[in-house]
Amino acid sequence: MAYSSSSSLCSACLAFFFFFFFTLLLHGSRAQLSSTFYASSCSNVSAVVRNVVQQAQSSDVRIVASLLRLHFHDCFVNGCDGSILLDNSDSIQSEKDATPNKNSVRGFDVVDDIKTAVENVCPGVVSCADILALAAEASVDLAGGPTWDVLLGRRDGTTANPTAANNMPSPFDDLDTLKQKFSDVGLDDTDLVALSGAHTFGRAQCRFFSSRLYNYSGTGSPDPSLDSTYLATLQQNCPQGGDGTTLNNLDLTTPDTFDNKYFTNLQSNEGLLQSDQELFSTSGASTISIVNSFAGDESTFFQSFASSMINMGNINPLTGSDGQIRSDCKKVN
């Protein structure tokens, strides 16, 4: 009887050990990200990244919004693994050619400049995926927004996924679709509204919203949620049948500053993209109160945005011995 009891106890201990071990395997990647990951191997990496971003901003005011967008488009496809940066090759079908990205996402040259600068001081240490995360934080800060401790330790993927890139959150999505796409990567409604607030700076091409101006949902009429004065301005900027690549400010109030005016614009029915205005104009939506909260208190938005950026940066990172540290962000080693 004593032997049987001891055997059962050992079996229970082994079962717990294996459960604990496999739990670590499943959740270890998130735990391994740390704001001090490069403290001993590349302690000044944040300053190096920020310096290059600041130099780029001095000649291109749009670049900070573009670099933030690159991080978003990276993380929503296969997690934050730098896959958005890979060019076409014999083994890679690039995400750059996916519909949401082609002739739209930009800033790749600046990422290359950052990588060169980082390699000069810390060769073979910092991943391209982490460079995107650091550049996003620096960009927001340089535009007047919040700062946060960027969690680091991601490694670079060796594959791309243009199919998934074609199914990421879209400016044409309704609210239910947006909420589902965010939920699919572990993000909630607050994350959706906070991260959408990144549209407080930057530009969008006419082709991403012109259907709202002339033929909303196949009605042959403009989107009724658009403020009439704003509609007239947009129709002038984006005439029917005109150049679909013409740029328009995402935030008509303070287009180059990271602030909470995006949300007050939504309250005035002056959201540029359908996916923007859906957050406020969808009847009974849970997102309305979040928009109102952010519109009423910029510090609340800033705190939530920083938290949501950390959440997004935690989407399926490669860590440990997975992936690689690319020497050139555009191609696998």
Side-chain angles (χ1 to χ4, degrees):
M1 181 69 72
Y3 175 80
S4 175
S5 175
S6 175
S7 177
S8 297
L9 182 61
C10 288
S11 296
C13 289
L14 283 171
F16 176 78
F17 171 79
F18 283 116
F19 173 78
F20 182 72
F21 177 73
F22 285 112
T23 299
L24 283 177
L25 284 180
L26 286 171
H27 299 286
S29 65
R30 187 166 188 156
Q32 289 175 43
L33 295 184
S34 166
S35 60
T36 59
F37 186 84
Y38 298 113
S40 60
S41 59
C42 193
S43 59
N44 62 338
V45 61
S46 295
V48 173
V49 172
R50 181 187 173 91
N51 182 56
V52 178
V53 173
Q54 192 166 23
Q55 289 178 6
Q57 183 191 29
S58 67
S59 59
D60 178 6
V61 71
R62 296 172 53 202
I63 196 61
V64 285
S66 299
L67 291 171
L68 175 58
R69 187 176 179 221
L70 270 180
H71 184 42
F72 180 96
H73 280 231
D74 181 39
C75 290
F76 266 78
V77 180
N78 287 3
C80 310
D81 64 350
S83 60
I84 182 70
L85 303 174
L86 290 171
D87 283 344
N88 285 312
S89 70
D90 291 341
S91 59
I92 299 291
Q93 186 179 355
S94 178
E95 293 168 17
K96 295 178 183 179
D97 294 327
T99 300
N101 298 332
K102 191 171 185 178
N103 300 318
S104 178
V105 290
R106 60 193 295 272
F108 299 108
D109 54 336
V110 177
V111 174
D112 289 340
D113 290 344
I114 296 171
K115 179 65 171 174
T116 298
V118 171
E119 288 293 306
N120 284 339
V121 294
C122 310
V125 172
V126 181
S127 68
C128 300
D130 275 349
I131 283 174
L132 287 180
L134 288 165
E137 190 274 341
S139 294
V140 171
D141 180 32
L142 288 167
T147 62
W148 60 92
D149 291 331
V150 181
L151 301 185
L152 301 165
R154 301 168 191 82
R155 288 169 65 85
D156 296 321
T158 56
T159 61
N161 192 340
T163 300
N166 275 315
N167 195 43
M168 67 180 304
S170 159
F172 308 107
D173 286 341
D174 61 24
L175 183 58
D176 286 341
T177 302
L178 289 169
K179 291 170 74 170
Q180 185 61 56
K181 288 181 178 180
F182 272 69
S183 176
D184 287 345
V185 293
L187 301 178
D188 63 19
D189 289 358
T190 300
D191 295 318
L192 165 60
V193 179
L195 293 173
S196 295
H199 289 168
T200 187
F201 64 171
R203 313 287 186 268
Q205 299 176 23
C206 292
R207 62 191 174 105
F208 291 118
F209 61 88
S210 58
S211 59
R212 297 186 71 204
L213 310 182
Y214 303 103
N215 188 26
Y216 177 68
S217 296
T219 61
S221 300
D223 184 344
S225 69
L226 265 172
D227 173 78
S228 58
T229 302
Y230 187 44
L231 169 64
T233 299
L234 293 176
Q235 287 178 329
Q236 185 175 6
N237 291 347
C238 303
Q240 198 162 14
D243 183 357
T245 65
T246 299
L247 295 174
N248 298 258
N249 294 329
L250 280 161
D251 176 350
L252 77 164
T253 311
T254 52
D256 299 317
T257 302
F258 197 100
D259 54 25
N260 70 333
K261 296 298 188 292
Y262 166 85
F263 298 104
T264 58
N265 292 340
L266 298 186
Q267 291 176 322
S268 302
N269 294 321
E270 293 173 329
L272 183 64
L273 306 177
Q274 177 182 335
S275 56
D276 293 329
Q277 198 60 51
E278 288 272 334
L279 301 176
F280 186 76
S281 296
T282 303
S283 179
S286 60
T287 52
I288 295 173
S289 62
I290 306 173
V291 170
N292 287 334
S293 173
F294 293 166
D297 187 347
E298 187 172 78
S299 65
T300 298
F301 165 50
F302 279 11
Q303 291 169 10
S304 291
F305 184 81
S307 177
S308 292
M309 285 296 293
I310 292 171
N311 292 341
M312 186 183 76
N314 275 328
I315 299 173
N316 298 330
L318 299 172
T319 60
S321 60
D322 293 336
Q324 61 182 214
I325 304 298
R326 288 185 215 139
S327 57
D328 183 339
C329 291
K330 299 186 296 297
K331 58 186 180 181
V332 298
N333 295 342

